[in-house]
Amino acid sequence: MKKNTLIISIILLAIIGCQKSTGIKEGRKDIDRKVDSVLNLMTLEEKIGQMNQYNGFWDVTGPVPSDGDAAKKYEHLRKGLVGSMLNVRGVANVKKVQKIAVEESRLGIPLIIGFDVIHGYETQSPIPIAESASWDLEAIKKSAAMAAKEAAAAGINWTFAPMVDISRDPRWGRVMEGAGEDTFLGSKIAVARVKGFQGEDLSSPATLAACAKHFAAYGFAESGKDYNTVDVGTSTLYNTILPPFKAAKDADVKTFMNAFNELNGIPATGNAFLQREILKGRWNFKGFVVSDWGSIMEMMAHGYVKDKKDAADLAVKAGSDMDMESYAYINELAELVNDGSVKESLIDDAVRRILKVKFELGLFEDPYKYCNEEREKSVIGSKEIQEAALDIAKKSIVLLKNENKVLPLKKSGQKIALIGGLAADKNSPLGSWRLAAKDNSAISVLEGMQKYKENELIYAEGASVAVGATNFINEVQVNLTDTSKFNKAIEAAKKSDVVVMVLGEVGFQSGEARSSTSLDLPGIQQELLEAVYQVNKNIVLVLNNGRPLTINWAEMNIPAIVEAWQLGSQTGNAVAQVLYGDYNPSGKLPMTFPRSVGQIPIYYNYKNTGRPGPKKEVFWSHYQDETNKPLYPFGYGLSYTTFSYNDIQVSTQGKNVKVIVNVTNTGEVEGKEVVQLYIRDMIASVTRPVKELKGFELITLKPKETKTVTFTLTEKELGFFNNTGAFIVEPGEFKVFVGGSSDTSLETSFDFL
Ligand code: BGC
């Protein structure tokens, strides 16, 4: 018997020996016993190996690397000095690396295989901010479940998602990856995504371990510049930033990722307050924390540590369990333990957490569980997954304006000009986190509209958005000058009854490291829009973008505007079905659209200040050159029908407050409405925002139908965190607002005793 086979047998015996258990609590104890039985066999080096994560480093189907970094990593894999790999995908590849870990290392501990399955694997669903606009938690959960199913069929068992960073700054390109600006909505979506990815049974080959990221406050980067300094007060930290993470933890998310940013002077990766005191202490999180890419060594650049050894020392003490690509743990931790600086018990704690997740994923039972070629072939790109992607894509679309009933388009007898650099684009709709998607695999708007054959469709690009090919790692070169295709587009518009213009950002203009100081339509697209408008005013503007844009001119002049984000693989079908009225849009903005960059940060749940105004004289909180109002508020979105809200009533029953409202479909067609409830705590020991979302419900109403919607507010919704992080509920007057957006005026009030 080979040495490693003998040890594997010992592990298996240890595992089987403690398998007879029932109930969740017993199950947990059972896993803890299994974890300990493995830990007891490990050398210090092997333990540190579990805390080491490498990026895929060689083309696994090619020859074994013989020199340089890759050879070293390969050697580490064989020696059991790697606990996880990221960016290895596809059954053949994953099997190959897993085989080395399992069959060639001394203990044969399986790898956990991570990947950024952000909004799909090969099939892309809408980017997360778009999905969030659906406010449809079931659909969001399903979308995550489909992404998990597809990724798990490709050998992956851990996703670096959901990103639950709240952000109020659309200059920050990563707003595309989150749920927007609101903590309540963001927390609900965090839970839906975690549950979708992880499913009911983590050991199923169709689910992934999820990862709540980036802990914490990454979305508050100063001036919206990625990776930038974050300095926020306790009230914002406890009430706005942390709750979605806590919700993910309560939904049993298995892992957390820390963040690139510093928070109030301490890098998140070396931040014991965040990771030890809050996450593992107050919240009692039992999973593990992975660093962000290289974030342990980046503490040197932050000016927080002098070298990698110091970085490893502080990171492990602060509670970062796994090192993604800093090579700090694997190179420095053993010495730190041996010289007494780091206690081995800290290493044991980290390794226990990592092994526990591996056990829960079923990797010890079968390390090749996620490596089934048949499943890979039948699941990836399957009809079920495509259909789910189309369903959520339609639900993510937000109708921003529809004057003169330009929409829905008539299905026959129309001449339609389709114009814009993004109209025939099959790549941009996939977004920027689409690492496993095939290039140019999305259905374009052109293709979607071509399916409606009874109209005449004339396509003219007008102007490309970018110059040359775009990709994940390089800056997008925007077309600033080439107007040579304008004329053709103008001619097409002249001859048409309606013009559909698909404008906005290419996929790689939002996402990581894609901060912007301008939120106008990039390049010469505004010029194109105005040129077309000169010859045909009957325009439907379809926006493709990963963040709110400042489209004031369009809002003033263009009769119909559709926010279609980047909707993934099924983009064209979803957009066409909405434009033609086969699907009545119901999305609502999860993030405020500003009028100008100067208004940022602009968000609906601001504080009143001591000088809210408006006043006749200038001494109130305002701008002299711009209104305080956004272009479109949070929660806003139209439908092809209209809704009215009436008869708001409130009653208190002990510690519960019931709010009832009647909602009527006052239009001609069936429609779906997101009924939103906001509160305002009028006087509090820490001031509260002028409005806070505390409930929402999706309802479908036939024409003229009325439904009564009931919300129950409990202490959970009425309380808040004070500046020590304690959750408190204070008696006093509350206002309640109900409506179809945060800018609603239907209100009542109650006293909470
Ligand atoms: C990002 C993370 C991501 C990681 C791995 C980092 O640059 O910030 O969100 O999960 O890379 O790809």
Side-chain angles (χ1 to χ4, degrees):
M1 203 187 257
K2 270 173 66 186
K3 200 167 82 191
N4 68 333
T5 328
L6 174 71
I7 297 187
I8 292 168
S9 314
I10 297 172
I11 295 180
L12 284 176
L13 276 177
I15 292 165
I16 294 160
C18 44
Q19 226 158 25
K20 285 188 215 102
S21 62
T22 47
I24 296 177
K25 222 168 163 189
E26 268 311 301
R28 252 188 248 134
K29 273 198 211 145
D30 198 27
I31 287 195
D32 291 345
R33 279 195 292 265
K34 292 176 190 174
V35 165
D36 279 336
S37 65
V38 176
L39 192 71
N40 285 337
L41 300 169
M42 297 172 81
T43 63
L44 176 62
E45 280 69 25
E46 284 164 341
K47 290 179 191 171
I48 293 167
Q50 286 303 304
M51 301 165 71
N52 182 32
Q53 184 187 50
Y54 283 148
N55 187 38
F57 55 93
W58 104 96
D59 174 9
V60 279
T61 50
V64 163
S66 56
D67 52 17
D69 265 3
K72 203 161 160 201
K73 283 181 169 184
Y74 181 79
E75 208 37 44
H76 283 176
L77 202 53
R78 296 187 57 218
K79 286 189 174 152
L81 300 182
V82 185
S84 170
M85 289 189 69
L86 75 153
N87 293 332
V88 180
R89 59 187 170 87
V91 165
N93 296 330
V94 173
K95 221 177 191 173
K96 187 108 183 237
V97 289
Q98 193 66 293
K99 203 156 181 241
I100 301 170
V102 171
E103 292 181 20
E104 295 187 41
S105 74
R106 191 181 76 95
L107 289 177
I109 297 175
L111 299 164
I112 176 168
I113 305 287
F115 194 68
D116 290 283
V117 185
I118 307 297
H119 53 105
Y121 175 69
E122 192 176 294
T123 308
Q124 300 299 306
S125 50
I127 57 171
I129 193 171
E131 286 196 356
S132 305
S134 73
W135 296 52
D136 187 331
L137 300 175
E138 273 313 306
I140 292 171
K141 183 173 161 197
K142 173 129 193 238
S143 171
M146 290 295 120
K149 189 171 180 181
E150 202 179 55
I156 287 151
N157 39 52
W158 177 24
T159 174
F160 304 125
M163 182 184 105
V164 303
D165 298 313
I166 296 298
S167 180
R168 297 164 167 174
D169 196 331
R171 291 173 299 182
W172 190 53
R174 293 194 85 164
V175 298
M176 58 75 61
E177 201 180 334
E181 74 188 35
D182 184 60
T183 300
F184 183 85
L185 179 63
S187 300
K188 299 275 182 209
I189 290 175
V191 171
R193 290 204 166 119
V194 169
K195 290 194 168 160
F197 287 130
Q198 296 191 166
E200 295 288 311
D201 173 12
L202 198 63
S203 72
S204 143
T207 56
L208 305 173
C211 180
K213 71 187 189 186
H214 305 84
F215 197 65
Y218 184 41
F220 277 70
E222 269 179 9
S223 60
K225 193 168 63 179
D226 207 3
Y227 318 124
N228 205 7
T229 306
V230 176
D231 204 319
V232 290
T234 43
S235 184
T236 302
L237 181 67
Y238 289 123
N239 289 291
T240 305
I241 294 169
L242 292 181
F245 287 100
K246 175 66 162 51
K249 186 264 151 194
D250 290 343
D252 201 25
V253 71
K254 295 297 167 187
T255 70
F256 267 59
M257 184 184 288
N258 58 34
F260 290 128
N261 57 284
E262 65 162 72
L263 172 63
N264 304 339
I266 316 287
T269 305
N271 200 314
F273 165 69
L274 285 175
Q275 297 173 103
R276 289 251 176 247
E277 189 179 327
I278 294 198
L279 180 60
K280 293 178 177 175
R282 295 187 210 173
W283 296 357
N284 198 22
F285 172 64
K286 297 290 187 207
F288 71 87
V289 180
V290 63
S291 80
D292 203 344
W293 182 292
S295 68
I296 297 181
M297 67 178 171
E298 286 177 12
M299 291 199 289
M300 295 191 280
H302 275 290
Y304 190 60
V305 293
K306 71 173 183 305
D307 55 23
K308 258 195 195 178
K309 190 168 175 190
D310 252 13
D313 185 61
L314 280 183
V316 78
K317 286 178 180 158
S320 300
D321 301 307
M322 187 181 274
D323 172 358
M324 183 194 285
E325 279 288 315
S326 279
Y327 313 91
Y329 285 0
I330 196 67
N331 291 330
E332 311 292 346
L333 268 188
E335 205 180 313
L336 285 164
V337 173
N338 290 331
D339 71 19
S341 170
V342 170
K343 287 198 199 110
E344 192 163 347
S345 57
L346 275 191
I347 308 291
D348 286 350
D349 175 60
V351 178
R352 269 198 191 95
R353 292 167 179 273
I354 294 164
L355 292 178
K356 181 169 163 278
V357 176
K358 292 187 177 184
F359 268 108
E360 290 173 335
L361 281 164
L363 287 169
F364 276 94
E365 200 185 298
D366 177 6
Y368 306 108
K369 175 164 249 175
Y370 299 83
C371 295
N372 177 317
E373 283 88 355
E374 285 311 304
R375 200 171 46 237
E376 184 177 40
K377 262 189 237 140
S378 63
V379 169
I380 296 183
S382 68
K383 196 164 167 250
E384 181 198 21
I385 292 177
Q386 295 293 343
E387 279 173 4
L390 174 58
D391 180 62
I392 182 87
K394 288 189 283 195
K395 290 174 173 162
S396 303
I397 293 173
V398 186
L399 181 63
L400 295 176
K401 189 177 174 192
N402 191 19
E403 256 174 18
N404 315 327
K405 295 211 170 159
V406 174
L407 290 175
L409 300 172
K410 291 194 191 75
K411 285 193 175 155
S412 61
Q414 297 267 292
K415 209 178 240 185
I416 299 178
L418 178 62
I419 295 172
L422 298 168
D425 195 330
K426 293 173 67 62
N427 215 30
S428 278
L430 300 170
S432 77
W433 276 118
R434 32 67 60 93
L435 303 168
K438 292 195 178 113
D439 280 344
N440 296 308
S441 59
I443 293 171
S444 68
V445 174
L446 173 62
E447 288 167 325
M449 290 193 67
Q450 278 166 341
K451 292 186 181 157
Y452 290 81
K453 296 190 191 321
E454 318 251 302
N455 278 335
E456 188 184 337
L457 188 67
I458 320 169
Y459 163 68
E461 187 186 16
S464 66
V465 183
V467 180
T470 59
N471 61 45
F472 189 62
I473 54 173
N474 293 308
E475 214 84 75
V476 171
Q477 302 303 319
V478 177
N479 173 15
L480 300 170
T481 50
D482 183 3
T483 55
S484 60
K485 295 179 197 151
F486 270 34
N487 276 345
K488 228 174 135 190
I490 292 166
E491 287 314 309
K494 267 188 198 160
K495 314 193 263 233
S496 301
D497 301 307
V498 193
V499 184
V500 175
M501 294 189 73
V502 189
L503 307 179
E505 298 180 305
V506 296
F508 291 114
Q509 276 179 296
S510 51
E512 184 172 348
R514 264 64 180 205
S515 298
S516 279
T517 61
S518 164
L519 299 176
D520 296 341
L521 291 169
I524 52 175
Q525 295 180 94
Q526 180 66 32
E527 226 181 287
L528 175 67
L529 179 61
E530 291 182 30
V532 170
Y533 180 79
Q534 290 305 315
V535 299
N536 191 337
K537 298 193 170 18
N538 206 19
I539 297 177
V540 178
L541 172 60
V542 176
L543 292 171
N544 282 188
N545 45 306
R547 48 153 71 93
L549 297 176
T550 44
I551 47 154
N552 305 341
W553 186 89
E555 165 58 26
M556 266 163 58
N557 297 288
I558 302 297
I561 307 176
V562 175
E563 175 53 80
W565 315 100
Q566 286 136 6
L567 294 174
S569 306
Q570 289 288 333
T571 290
N573 288 336
V575 170
Q577 288 181 29
V578 164
L579 295 185
Y580 277 108
D582 285 338
Y583 187 83
N584 186 356
S586 54
K588 303 277 186 179
L589 294 177
M591 199 164 181
T592 304
F593 273 46
R595 288 173 186 275
S596 67
V597 169
Q599 290 181 311
I600 297 169
I602 180 168
Y603 46 97
Y604 83 94
N605 48 353
Y606 57 88
K607 301 282 186 78
N608 204 35
T609 79
R611 295 194 174 187
K615 288 185 182 168
K616 232 166 134 198
E617 292 174 332
V618 295
F619 305 107
W620 62 288
S621 182
H622 74 296
Y623 301 103
Q624 58 181 342
D625 59 349
E626 183 63 277
T627 151
N628 282 355
K629 293 248 174 226
L631 186 62
Y632 303 116
F634 171 84
Y636 170 81
L638 305 172
S639 158
Y640 293 148
T641 188
T642 44
F643 301 98
S644 75
Y645 286 74
N646 299 296
D647 310 324
I648 184 170
Q649 284 171 44
V650 63
S651 57
T652 44
Q653 293 160 347
K655 295 278 175 208
N656 286 353
V657 180
K658 226 188 210 181
V659 182
I660 297 177
V661 70
N662 286 334
V663 188
T664 305
N665 180 345
T666 48
E668 310 293 313
V669 290
E670 183 174 298
K672 209 161 47 166
E673 170 74 329
V674 183
V675 181
Q676 302 160 44
L677 174 135
Y678 297 83
I679 63 164
R680 177 170 176 189
D681 182 349
M682 298 305 289
I683 310 287
S685 56
V686 180
T687 60
R688 307 300 306 140
V690 294
K691 260 179 201 170
E692 289 181 89
L693 181 73
K694 290 295 176 184
F696 61 90
E697 201 175 308
L698 266 74
I699 55 167
T700 302
L701 292 175
K702 295 201 167 48
K704 312 293 171 247
E705 187 186 351
T706 297
K707 270 188 187 160
T708 302
V709 180
T710 306
F711 294 99
T712 304
L713 295 167
T714 66
E715 291 193 326
K716 206 171 155 217
E717 286 80 33
L718 299 174
F720 61 90
F721 293 92
N722 69 12
N723 287 341
T724 67
F727 189 77
I728 55 170
V729 190
E730 294 179 341
E733 190 194 351
F734 284 79
K735 279 193 176 167
V736 195
F737 312 83
V738 180
S741 114
S742 62
D743 190 16
T744 167
S745 52
L746 186 65
E747 68 169 82
T748 180
S749 63
F750 64 90
D751 284 321
F752 188 69
L753 303 171

